[in-house]
């Protein structure tokens, strides 16, 4: 039977709910109800041929709660005049939500809307566009609005989130709701209270004026003659420092080695007029504003694999004169017994590699020496390291 049943009608109303249209209408106050539903009724020939089925269908439809039928009298060939449904309506939001078992959710959402309209009406746009996420935040919504209040009162505060003092709200609450707060603060704050150069949820702190934990650089001094802490024994000159503090150190070295591997950082031998920095893969953000590094000879030491060359390429975006160290074909071939497998290669153009580096990278990409070859930097022998350092003299 293709005639519309009460279950079909309920599914139509359910679609209105799942699309968020019923809740959105609460925000916009648009006249969403009464709402006409689609109905397919028996044809005239079916009334004659299937009269008993039609009567059962009609009885079921008339007994369906939460709807209003509009009927008109129609004359049929064999059964004469009968009242027959031509339209079906759901008259109110209450009818729809009660039918779907969503009355409580609608009441909760309406309370969110009422509070938002009173405190921050500009955020009604967010509720309208995200009704179901808003429902999941119902217990937290008042506190989220408290955070918005605080940010309006303390624009670009330059404080750590830990220093935000709002009754009932702690650091973890704000950290755990950065996604929704990012959207809400973008709507609620005036443009001069937003750092427009910082975009995306990961830039939450910078965008809204909170302090980030300072980036730190791990540093070893390789020569007492160029140590800013000359009163300490050389073997103790392994320390972490903020990028800002690093930029103020003096005296500065002639050369700086940068390595991705902590063990290499620790065992790197003493070397004249040199320091070594532990870069931790792609993590060079703290070095960008250290202006004196531009005056040094910088040597980058990464793994001989596709990700190692990608990190080198990225490093040169900020330090274009940096040279690679022990990332050459001779080092690769010398240590063939120590090759391992790179689980997933990065196969993309690396425009900042020089000719020799690009050749090694291309050979790795196409498998000249075997599939997914990788030589990790900590597998390079200390003898080869010392011999290579000897070439600097």
């Amino acid at each position: 039977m293709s005639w519309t049943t009460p279950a079909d009608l309920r599914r139509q109303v359910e679609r209105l709910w799942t699309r968020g249209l019923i809740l959105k209408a609460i925000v916009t106050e648009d006249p969403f109800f009464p709402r006409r539903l689609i109905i397919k009724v028996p044809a005239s020939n079916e009334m004659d041929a299937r009269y008993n089925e039609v009567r059962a269908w009609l009885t079921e439809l008339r007994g369906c709660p939460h709807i209003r039928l509009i009927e008109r009298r129609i004359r049929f060939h064999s059964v004469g005049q009968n009242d027959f449904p031509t339209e079906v309506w759901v008259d109110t939001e209450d009818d729809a939500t009660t039918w779907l078992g969503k009355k409580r959710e609608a009441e909760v959402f309406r309370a969110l809307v009422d509070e938002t309209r009173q405190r921050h009406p500009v955020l009604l746009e967010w509720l309208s566009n995200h009704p179901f996420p808003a429902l999941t935040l119902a217990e937290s919504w008042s506190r989220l609005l408290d955070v918005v209040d605080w940010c309006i009162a303390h624009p670009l505060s330059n404080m750590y989130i830990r220093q935000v003092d709002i009754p009932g709200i702690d650091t973890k609450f704000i950290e755990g709701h950065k996604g929704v707060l990012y959207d809400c603060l973008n709507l609620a704050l005036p443009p001069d209270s937003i750092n427009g150069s910082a975009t995306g949820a990961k830039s939450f702190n910078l965008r809204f004026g909170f302090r980030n934990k300072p980036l730190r650089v791990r540093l070893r001094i390789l020569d007492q003659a160029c140590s800013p802490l000359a009163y300490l024994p050389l073997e103790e000159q392994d320390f972490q420092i903020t990028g800002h503090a690093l930029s103020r150190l003096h005296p500065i070295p002639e050369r700086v080695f940068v390595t991705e591997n902590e063990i290499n950082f620790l065992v790197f031998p003493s070397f004249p007029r040199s320091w070594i920095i532990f870069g931790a893969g792609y993590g060079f953000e703290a070095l960008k504003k250290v202006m004196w590094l531009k005056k040094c000879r910088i040597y980058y030491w990464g793994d001989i694999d596709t990700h190692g060359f990608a990190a080198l390429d990225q490093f040169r975006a900020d330090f274009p004169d940096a040279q690679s160290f022990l990332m050459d074909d001779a080092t690769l071939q010398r240590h063939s017994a120590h090759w391992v497998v790179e689980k997933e290669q990065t196969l993309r153009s690396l425009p900042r590699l020089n000719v020799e580096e690009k050749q090694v990278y291309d050979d790795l990409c196409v498998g000249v020496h075997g599939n997914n070859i990788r030589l990790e930097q900590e597998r390079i022998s200390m003898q080869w390291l010392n011999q290579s350092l000897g070439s600097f003299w």
Side-chain angles (χ1 to χ4, degrees), residues 182-218:
Y182 182 90
D183 293 342
C184 291
L185 291 174
N186 278 327
L187 292 170
L189 293 178
D192 60 0
S193 295
I194 296 175
N195 180 354
S197 65
T199 58
K202 291 184 178 179
S203 300
F204 179 91
N205 287 8
L206 185 59
R207 184 169 180 81
F208 301 116
F210 294 106
R211 293 182 67 181
N212 281 313
K213 181 172 66 175
L215 297 172
R216 294 183 177 273
V217 178
R218 190 169 175 189

Side-chain angles (χ1 to χ4, degrees), residues 18 61 126 170 247-248:
T18 56
L61 200 63
W126 190 88
D170 56 25
S247 68
R248 301 171 65 186

Side-chain angles (χ1 to χ4, degrees), residues 3-195:
W3 314 326
T4 300
T5 66
D8 296 328
L9 296 173
R10 189 183 187 282
R11 279 191 288 270
Q12 291 184 48
V13 179
E14 192 168 25
R15 282 194 291 272
L16 299 175
W17 175 269
T18 56
R19 291 169 60 192
L21 299 179
I22 295 175
L23 294 179
K24 185 172 184 176
I26 294 175
V27 181
T28 60
E29 300 182 305
D30 291 335
F32 194 75
F33 293 99
R35 191 80 177 178
R36 185 176 180 177
L37 304 180
I38 298 171
I39 182 172
K40 184 174 182 180
V41 302
S44 296
N45 62 333
E46 290 177 310
M47 174 65 82
D48 294 331
R50 304 169 63 183
Y51 179 71
N52 289 335
E53 291 178 62
V54 172
R55 284 186 61 186
W57 168 81
L58 187 55
T59 298
E60 183 184 23
L61 200 63
R62 286 171 175 165
C64 180
H66 312 299
I67 63 170
R68 174 169 55 90
L69 290 177
I70 294 180
E71 302 185 33
R72 65 185 179 91
R73 184 152 293 185
I74 300 175
R75 176 178 292 278
F76 295 94
H77 176 70
S78 60
V79 297
Q81 290 186 345
N82 281 271
D83 290 335
F84 208 68
T86 56
E87 297 177 20
V88 180
W89 292 79
V90 176
D91 284 333
T92 66
E93 174 199 310
D94 185 71
D95 286 327
T97 56
T98 301
W99 196 7
L100 298 177
K102 301 293 185 181
K103 186 176 178 64
R104 173 60 181 162
E105 287 93 329
E107 291 173 348
V108 169
F109 188 75
R110 187 177 297 279
L112 298 180
V113 171
D114 290 344
E115 181 180 12
T116 305
R117 183 170 280 118
Q118 180 180 1
R119 296 181 60 182
H120 292 291
V122 70
L123 299 184
L124 292 172
E125 176 185 341
W126 190 88
L127 290 178
S128 178
N129 293 330
H130 306 86
F132 296 116
L135 277 175
T136 67
L137 294 166
E139 293 185 0
S140 303
W141 189 250
S142 292
R143 288 183 291 162
L144 289 169
L145 296 183
D146 290 341
V147 176
V148 173
D149 286 337
W150 190 95
C151 291
I152 291 173
H154 304 81
L156 300 174
S157 66
N158 196 32
M159 296 168 64
Y160 289 109
I161 288 177
R162 177 67 178 86
Q163 296 173 284
V164 175
D165 195 5
I166 306 173
I169 295 174
D170 56 25
T171 306
K172 288 187 177 181
F173 178 84
I174 298 176
E175 294 283 357
H177 292 87
K178 278 187 174 180
V180 61
L181 284 170
Y182 182 90
D183 293 342
C184 291
L185 291 174
N186 278 327
L187 292 170
L189 293 178
D192 60 0
S193 295
I194 296 175
N195 180 354

Side-chain angles (χ1 to χ4, degrees), residues 22 35 65 113 120 139 259 272 282 287 315-316 385:
I22 295 175
R35 191 80 177 178
V113 171
H120 292 291
E139 293 185 0
T259 179
Y282 294 92
L287 301 180
F315 186 74
R316 283 204 179 121
L385 169 60

